[in-house]
């Protein structure tokens, strides 16, 4: 009886990669095909005649959220700095020498 010869790992991985690539391509083609059939059903939104108003006000909430996030993280950053300082202070003297002279 013929024994099963194990397939080399490189060949097995190449075959698996090809199978995944093929499946991905087929899935993408099917999705694009289904989506393309929906395009005729979608109407374009009417464009505003007057686009003179700048878009800046729409970005204001994001800017405010960023500022609030920074303000909220300030105390956490201070506590983290203190914790690291205490940790480094309590290191043995050999580790302190490494801390003072990083290479």
């Amino acid at each position: 009886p013929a024994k099963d010869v194990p397939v080399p790992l490189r060949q097995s991985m190449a075959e698996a990669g090809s199978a995944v690539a093929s499946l991905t391509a087929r899935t993408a083609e099917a999705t694009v095909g289904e989506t393309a059939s929906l395009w005729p059903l979608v109407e374009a939104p009417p464009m505003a005649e007057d686009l003179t108003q700048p878009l800046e006000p729409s970005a204001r909430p994001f800017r405010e959220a960023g500022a609030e996030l920074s303000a909220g993280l300030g105390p956490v950053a201070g506590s983290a700095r203190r914790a690291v300082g205490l940790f480094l202070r309590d290191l043995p003297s050999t580790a302190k020498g490494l801390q003072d002279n990083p290479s």
Side-chain angles (χ1 to χ4, degrees):
K3 293 184 178 181
D4 290 335
V5 178
V7 178
L9 179 62
R10 185 177 303 247
Q11 181 182 352
S12 176
M13 293 301 289
E15 290 173 2
S18 294
V20 168
S22 175
L23 178 62
T24 302
R26 282 185 285 153
T27 304
E29 287 174 12
T31 303
V32 168
E34 291 173 9
T35 305
S37 68
L38 296 176
W39 279 117
L41 304 176
V42 177
E43 293 182 22
M47 293 297 291
E49 299 278 334
D50 184 22
L51 294 177
T52 57
Q53 188 178 29
L55 298 176
E56 184 65 28
S58 64
R60 189 176 308 132
F62 296 110
R63 193 176 307 117
E64 291 171 358
E68 291 173 8
L69 180 65
S70 294
L73 289 177
V76 175
S79 296
R81 276 191 292 274
R82 282 192 303 277
V84 169
L86 290 171
F87 175 75
L88 293 175
R89 185 189 72 190
D90 293 341
L91 286 177
S93 60
T94 56
K96 283 187 179 179
L98 293 175
Q99 171 201 352
D100 295 336
N101 299 319
S103 340

